[in-house]
Amino acid sequence: MDKLRIVGGRPLHGSIAVSGAKNAALPELCAALLTAEPVELRNVPRLRDVATMRKLLDNMGVQAETHGERGGFTLQAPTSLLPEAPYDLVKTMRASVLVLGPLLARFGRAKVSLPGGCAIGSRPVDQHIKGLQAMGAEIVVEHGYMVAQLPAGQTRLKGARITTDMVTVTGTENFMMAATLADGETILENAAQEPEITDLAEMLIKMGARIEGHGTSRIRIQGVERLHGCEHAVVADRIEAGTFLCAVAATGGDVTLQHARGDHLDAVIDKLRDAGVTVEDVTEGLRVVSSGAAALKAQTFRTTEYPGFPTDMQAQFMALNAVAHGASTVTETIFENRFMHVQELQRLGASIRIDGRVAVVEGVPRLSGATVMATDLRASASLVIAGLVAEGETVVDRIYHLDRGYDQMELKLRALGADIERIQ
Ligand code: UD1
């Protein structure tokens, strides 16, 4: 199993390119199921989750080819395929549930494994099921699978008004994709507003879908009879960009993040500025300048849906708070068990106390390197940031979590001057 060895204490300088967003690429790969014509994606990040999604689509009979340096991907979903997502693939990636909406919409049936538990919380898919049922799908859960089909004699889903109990990102994406081919109008109330939803909607519109209101909490979709192929470049990954912002803030330095979108990171950038970091929009993307954690003021924040502070940035910003000046509280409101990085940060010398969904962080002047274990994707990134500022050597074990969602992170950090290497 691969590990990362980091020797901390070096500031970061230079310029790197932010990759395409994992959370946009995954639904966009699934959107190829909605048409028999070829779909060309560009800027697809090189990640384990993308490879898993490719395997899942391949298993159904979708032809997928990669090409070029810049994450080119061509997908073609034939008129007849096996509309199934088996447990073996779904269990490693919860986003596999994103095939459910497109399969039902185009093929009228689907059999998708329930994703099961997940390190950061229970993460049920009840809303996905309820919403698609509102569109006329018959769904039963048996032997660990969601088995979905249209009622006898019906060839298309029906437009519906769907109001979810909470804001769900992949739920909104599933409904939006399903509604593009449904009969009539679908209105999604309480819809997620994340930039990845907007990027997916823009891709679907290029395919001939009729969608309005994406990027707001109310999305209207007029179903059409068929969609066609398209070309689309995946939006830059705001979480990868935010992770590098926190890393530079903590180590100190001056870095330009090419393609990064400041307008997708307002909540994080506001907190960084309040902490004392300089973040500015430049032609290439974003520039971040910091004189290092010791000069920064710790920030209290709570995670909420977009445009609030993203739960996917909580662990990384907590690593920064751990070495910044003063006390802060971090409240996680989206997932019930997303503080697993805390124990590992403590092993590096951080002073953090957990009280339910709140972590109370006392900034310390120094962390000291140790062997730590990555427990989930963003927790791993938080440990890398801590390792970059800790004195001496830190070894981050189980970095397969990191490889799920970061495109060549250690190479990018090395290009900025970090002392980091992958060891077997
Ligand atoms: C997506 C992101 C993930 C991010 C999360 C929150 C992708 C591939 N993943 O995950 O990186 O951390 O949004 O921003 O885009 N819930 C239910 N029932 C459901 C659906 C959700 O109870 O049917 C709950 C979840 O357990 C969670 C909350 O709703 O507490 C939000 O989850 P959701 O937005 O659906 O997360 P994902 O779409 O899985």
Side-chain angles (χ1 to χ4, degrees):
M1 224 177 277
D2 288 4
K3 302 171 185 181
L4 283 180
R5 192 190 64 86
I6 307 168
V7 180
R10 290 200 184 187
L12 301 175
H13 286 277
S15 178
I16 49 158
V18 173
S19 299
K22 166 177 93 72
N23 287 353
L26 294 176
E28 288 167 2
L29 290 166
C30 296
L33 288 166
L34 292 164
T35 176
E37 293 183 16
V39 166
E40 296 260 357
L41 287 173
R42 278 175 286 124
N43 204 29
V44 178
R46 283 154 295 188
L47 307 173
R48 212 157 58 93
D49 274 7
V50 166
T52 306
M53 186 59 88
R54 184 179 177 176
K55 223 188 273 178
L56 187 66
L57 294 170
D58 180 70
N59 191 62
M60 291 179 193
V62 176
Q63 289 155 15
E65 264 177 45
T66 47
H67 45 80
E69 285 290 289
R70 296 262 300 132
F73 235 93
T74 305
L75 299 118
Q76 192 160 11
T79 18
S80 129
L81 49 67
L82 180 73
E84 289 188 13
Y87 177 66
D88 275 355
L89 292 170
V90 176
K91 73 172 183 210
T92 63
M93 186 182 64
R94 195 178 176 281
S96 311
V97 72
L98 283 165
V99 299
L100 183 60
L103 285 176
L104 259 175
R106 173 137 172 258
F107 301 96
R109 64 196 180 91
K111 184 177 170 192
V112 177
S113 171
L114 285 169
C118 161
I120 63 175
S122 64
R123 301 182 84 176
V125 288
D126 57 311
Q127 301 297 308
H128 297 245
I129 296 178
K130 261 174 60 184
L132 292 167
Q133 281 171 334
M135 297 179 77
E138 294 174 347
I139 306 181
V140 292
V141 174
E142 53 185 26
H143 310 298
Y145 280 79
M146 295 178 275
V147 182
Q149 59 179 16
L150 295 181
Q154 201 175 303
T155 56
R156 292 169 75 188
L157 289 166
K158 286 194 186 338
R161 177 185 291 269
I162 301 173
T163 310
T164 42
D165 294 347
M166 76 291 289
V167 178
T168 154
V169 175
T170 46
T172 302
E173 290 164 346
N174 242 336
F175 305 146
M176 197 163 71
M177 289 191 278
T180 58
L181 290 178
D183 185 11
E185 181 178 73
T186 298
I187 298 180
L188 306 180
E189 306 279 9
N190 204 20
Q193 304 176 43
E194 270 67 1
E196 293 77 22
I197 305 268
T198 303
D199 200 54
L200 172 65
E202 284 168 3
M203 173 184 172
L204 294 168
I205 290 169
K206 288 179 197 162
M207 294 172 75
R210 294 174 58 196
I211 305 175
E212 280 171 17
H214 42 289
T216 76
S217 61
R218 186 167 200 263
I219 305 179
R220 288 166 82 107
I221 305 116
Q222 289 290 342
V224 296
E225 284 199 18
R226 63 182 54 79
L227 295 177
H228 49 74
C230 77
E231 271 187 44
H232 182 75
V234 179
V235 66
D237 197 316
R238 66 193 164 100
I239 305 300
E240 186 196 10
T243 302
F244 278 97
L245 289 179
C246 286
V248 180
T251 61
D254 182 347
V255 167
T256 299
L257 301 172
Q258 300 152 38
H259 317 304
R261 295 268 305 257
D263 58 330
H264 290 170
L265 273 165
D266 282 335
V268 175
I269 291 175
D270 282 353
K271 288 289 170 193
L272 286 170
R273 286 186 179 140
D274 289 349
V277 182
T278 303
V279 184
E280 55 185 20
D281 283 301
V282 291
T283 330
E284 302 93 310
L286 281 176
R287 178 174 173 216
V288 50
V289 183
S290 163
S291 37
L296 301 181
K297 197 166 158 280
Q299 296 298 307
T300 285
F301 65 92
R302 57 191 287 132
T303 62
T304 52
E305 296 85 8
Y306 191 83
F309 194 101
T311 173
D312 285 353
M313 280 301 304
Q314 180 253 105
Q316 301 90 311
F317 209 108
M318 194 190 292
L320 177 61
N321 275 349
V323 283
H325 194 71
S328 59
T329 59
V330 172
T331 308
E332 172 58 50
T333 74
I334 309 287
F335 294 112
E336 73 262 30
N337 188 26
R338 207 172 195 179
F339 281 149
M340 278 168 313
H341 42 287
V342 167
Q343 255 188 8
E344 301 300 300
L345 289 172
Q346 283 166 342
R347 286 179 47 74
L348 296 171
S351 169
I352 307 172
R353 180 169 51 80
I354 300 177
D355 184 4
R357 290 194 162 203
V358 181
V360 182
V361 187
E362 276 296 336
V364 293
R366 54 183 279 276
L367 297 177
S368 64
T371 295
V372 287
M373 191 122 75
T375 47
D376 67 66
L377 170 55
R378 307 303 170 185
S380 323
S382 142
L383 297 175
V384 171
I385 293 172
L388 290 171
V389 286
E391 282 177 19
E393 184 176 289
T394 295
V395 174
V396 185
D397 201 350
R398 298 203 179 164
I399 54 156
Y400 56 86
H401 290 293
L402 199 73
D403 294 333
R404 279 191 44 214
Y406 286 93
D407 188 354
Q408 302 185 307
M409 187 185 226
E410 80 274 16
L411 297 185
K412 291 184 185 183
L413 284 169
R414 241 200 342 252
L416 297 177
D419 185 346
I420 180 169
E421 64 172 346
R422 184 177 285 254
I423 50 177
Q424 308 266 290

